[in-house]
Amino acid sequence: RFFYVSTRLLNNSQLLFVDENPDHKNEFKNTLIIHFNGGPFKLNINSLMNEKFLRAWSTELGAAVLMIKKPEKDEDNFPAILNQYFQAYMCLMDNAKSLLNMDIKKIIISGDSSGGYCAMAFTNLLIGINLFEKKDIRIPDLLLLEYPNFSWELNRSSVSMSLGATNNFMTHDLFKTFVHNYLGEYRDYRNMFVSPLYTSDKVLEHMPIIRIFFGDKDTGRDEFLRGIYRFRNCKDIRAYNFLELPHAFNGIEQPELYEMVKDFIIEEV
């Protein structure tokens, strides 16, 4: 069926045929950052919040940043969403020169919250196709995951989930909305395309560099720690726990905090 993936190109100096980047940014001039928006599926409420953060990356790195919004139709749930992302990615890889006027040297895939899940599940899909269908699809060089959802299991409990009483960004009711909007009646949580927590060892062997960022006041903190432990044998993984930060700290209107987190992530890139 016909579909489209809503995207927004936040910066690409190559596309404009203007090189305004200073010398220290030249190493990123052929870097493409693809960011998956967080927030509930079928509701792109995080677009404006993420745009501020992503524009900072684009400006300071001089890289092309492509923001991918979630499909909003009722039938756009699992696995249709991942399939749409895959088709869009393949189109972009095949036509980068004509669409972006750049020869892509490095691909960074990022995502926050449910977008972090999308980034991880999407990478699982690319690696799985290469392994099991003997393809040679380009795998991203780096995953930047900000407080990502590693599992959609509704009945799992943890100490950090109690923080939902004071963290309005991620309550249990909101989490149930995420699950319903994305999975519908599908409930095989141990599918690695549904819950990256269950990614197979064979796929993990081929994972790119992974960087994970989360706050210790996040309701999903314990799930992040489980995920980090599960991915411990990946070739290069690091996780950073920011003290006193809740879920969705990208959108907190505190200039000092925003600059600290932004600079820290940019240094890792």
Side-chain angles (χ1 to χ4, degrees), residues 110-205:
S110 67
D112 64 293
S113 192
S114 61
Y117 151 76
C118 290
M120 190 73 185
F122 176 71
T123 304
N124 281 350
L125 178 62
L126 297 182
I127 295 173
I129 291 174
N130 282 352
L131 288 176
F132 305 117
E133 297 187 12
K134 308 302 181 183
K135 302 294 184 180
D136 189 26
I137 300 171
R138 182 166 181 175
I139 304 300
D141 301 281
L142 170 65
L143 289 181
L144 287 178
L145 309 176
E146 302 155 59
Y147 36 89
N149 288 99
F150 286 135
S151 173
W152 296 110
E153 294 176 86
L154 281 171
N155 297 325
R156 184 178 298 280
S157 61
S158 66
V159 174
S160 65
M161 284 298 293
S162 64
L163 295 171
T166 57
N167 181 359
N168 293 327
F169 282 109
M170 181 53 72
T171 63
H172 188 64
D173 286 341
L174 181 57
F175 184 75
K176 287 194 293 184
T177 299
F178 277 51
V179 174
H180 175 74
N181 284 354
Y182 182 54
L183 296 181
E185 299 302 319
Y186 189 89
R187 287 295 181 271
D188 182 7
Y189 297 120
R190 292 178 180 257
N191 180 330
M192 71 176 181
F193 304 117
V194 172
S195 296
L197 190 62
Y198 299 104
T199 301
S200 69
D201 291 337
K202 192 171 184 64
V203 169
L204 289 178
E205 290 175 4

Side-chain angles (χ1 to χ4, degrees), residues 198-240:
Y198 299 104
T199 301
S200 69
D201 291 337
K202 192 171 184 64
V203 169
L204 289 178
E205 290 175 4
H206 297 270
M207 275 292 160
I209 297 170
I210 301 175
R211 296 293 181 263
I212 301 172
F213 305 89
F214 64 97
D216 74 335
K217 297 299 184 183
D218 197 314
T219 52
R221 180 196 62 207
D222 295 342
E223 288 298 301
F224 305 150
L225 295 176
R226 289 184 69 229
I228 292 163
Y229 182 76
R230 176 70 187 96
F231 307 144
R232 67 192 182 281
N233 293 326
C234 293
K235 61 183 179 182
D236 188 347
I237 178 171
R238 296 180 191 172
Y240 301 90

Side-chain angles (χ1 to χ4, degrees), residues 3 5 32 34 66 68 82-96 99 104 107 122 125-126 129-130 135-139:
F3 67 89
V5 175
L32 175 64
I34 301 173
L66 193 68
I68 297 183
L82 290 182
N83 180 57
Q84 292 180 26
Y85 290 160
F86 174 75
Q87 299 296 335
Y89 181 81
M90 294 305 297
C91 178
L92 189 60
M93 293 300 100
D94 292 340
N95 301 281
L99 292 175
I104 300 175
I107 299 174
F122 176 71
L125 178 62
L126 297 182
I129 291 174
N130 282 352
K135 302 294 184 180
D136 189 26
I137 300 171
R138 182 166 181 175
I139 304 300

Side-chain angles (χ1 to χ4, degrees), residues 9-21:
L9 185 68
L10 298 182
N11 177 63
N12 186 16
S13 58
Q14 291 86 359
L15 184 64
L16 299 175
F17 298 93
V18 177
D19 188 3
E20 299 175 346
N21 300 325

